[in-house]
Amino acid sequence: MSSDPDKLMTKADKLTKLSLTRWSADWKTATVLYEQAANGFRVSKTYEKAKVAFEKASKGQEMLSSPWDAAKHMESAAALAKELGNWSEVADFYRRASELYIECGRSQPASDALAKGARALEDAVPDAAVQLYTDACNILEEDDRDQMAFDLYRAGASVYIKLEKYSDAAALLLRLGLAADKCNATNSQFKAYLSAIIVYLYAHDLQQAEKCYNDCSQIDAFLGSDQGRCASKFLSAYAEGDVEEIKHVAQSSTIKNLENVISEHVV
C-alpha cells in the first residue's frame, strides 16, 4: 500500500462515496487510511492537509460508533488549526471534541477540551476564550466535580480582567467562591470573595464592592478570616481616600497569597 498521504486520502475518499458500483461506504477501511494520511501530513508539517485528514478520521470514527476516538482526532484537528491561526476552527473543533466526550459520559476530558481551546484563544480571541472557560466550568459543575473547575474560574476571571470587564470577572470569582463552598474548601472560598471585592474596587465601584462584602459577610466565618479583615480594611481605606493605607493593605501577605489573577493584574 502506498504511504503517500495524498494517495491515501484519495483512496479513502473513494471508499466513502456511493456510486453505481458502491452501494455502501466502507468507513472502517477509509478511517484507517485517513488516520495514516493525517499522521503522514503532520510529520511533513503539511498542517492544512493534516487538519482535513484528522477531521475526516474523526467523522469516520463517529460512523463506526467510536466517539472517544472521534474526539481525539477532533482535538488533533483543533491543535493544527491553532498552528495555522484558524481561530474560529480552533473553537469549533474543541467544542465538537467536548461534545463527543460527553457522548462517552466523560465530563473531565470534555471540560479539558474546552479549556485547551480557551488557552489557545486567550490572546487572539479573548471573548471566545472566556466563554470556553465558562462552559468548561459548567460541564464540571453539572457532574458535581466543582473542585476540578477552580483553576478554570481563575483563568476565566483573568481574561475578563485583561478585557477590563471587571463586573464579569468579579461574577466569575464569586462563582468560584460558591463552588469552593460546595467542596468545603474554605480557604479558596474566602480568597475568591476577597478577590471579587478587590476587582470591584479596582474598577472604582465602591458601592458594588461594599455590596459584595456585605453579601459575603452573611457567612460569619468570612468576617473573622484574614481575607474578611483585609477586605474590611481595603473598603475603609477606599472610602476615606487613604492612599497610604491602600498601599499598606495591598502589600499584606493576605493579598500576596491571592491568585496571580489579582496580585498581578489588579493590586
Side-chain angles (χ1 to χ4, degrees), residues 98-190:
S98 180
E99 291 167 0
L100 289 163
Y101 285 127
I102 291 290
E103 282 185 34
C104 303
R106 302 290 295 276
S107 63
Q108 188 64 59
S111 174
D112 289 345
L114 295 183
K116 288 175 191 174
R119 285 190 288 273
L121 294 171
E122 270 195 30
D123 292 330
V125 197
D127 285 304
V130 81
Q131 188 57 57
L132 287 170
Y133 276 131
T134 304
D135 292 344
C137 291
N138 292 341
I139 287 172
L140 293 173
E141 276 191 3
E142 288 167 11
D143 201 32
D144 293 324
R145 298 171 66 87
D146 301 73
Q147 191 151 9
M148 304 304 294
F150 287 6
D151 285 341
L152 300 178
Y153 283 120
R154 294 176 186 124
S158 178
V159 177
Y160 272 136
I161 289 171
K162 289 175 185 174
L163 290 169
E164 299 183 359
K165 293 185 175 182
Y166 300 117
S167 292
D168 290 325
L172 209 52
L173 288 165
L174 290 172
R175 277 188 64 182
L176 166 57
L178 287 172
D181 184 30
K182 284 174 67 177
C183 302
N184 295 315
T186 306
N187 191 48
S188 293
Q189 178 186 3
F190 293 169

Side-chain angles (χ1 to χ4, degrees), residues 194 197-198 201 206 228-240 242 245-252 255 258 267:
L194 174 57
I197 292 164
I198 291 172
L201 289 175
L206 180 60
R229 286 190 290 270
C230 184
S232 178
K233 290 177 183 176
F234 248 136
L235 287 165
S236 296
Y238 265 86
E240 294 165 11
D242 189 338
E245 177 64 9
I246 291 170
K247 289 179 180 178
H248 176 70
V249 177
Q251 294 302 313
S252 69
I255 296 299
L258 292 178
V267 175

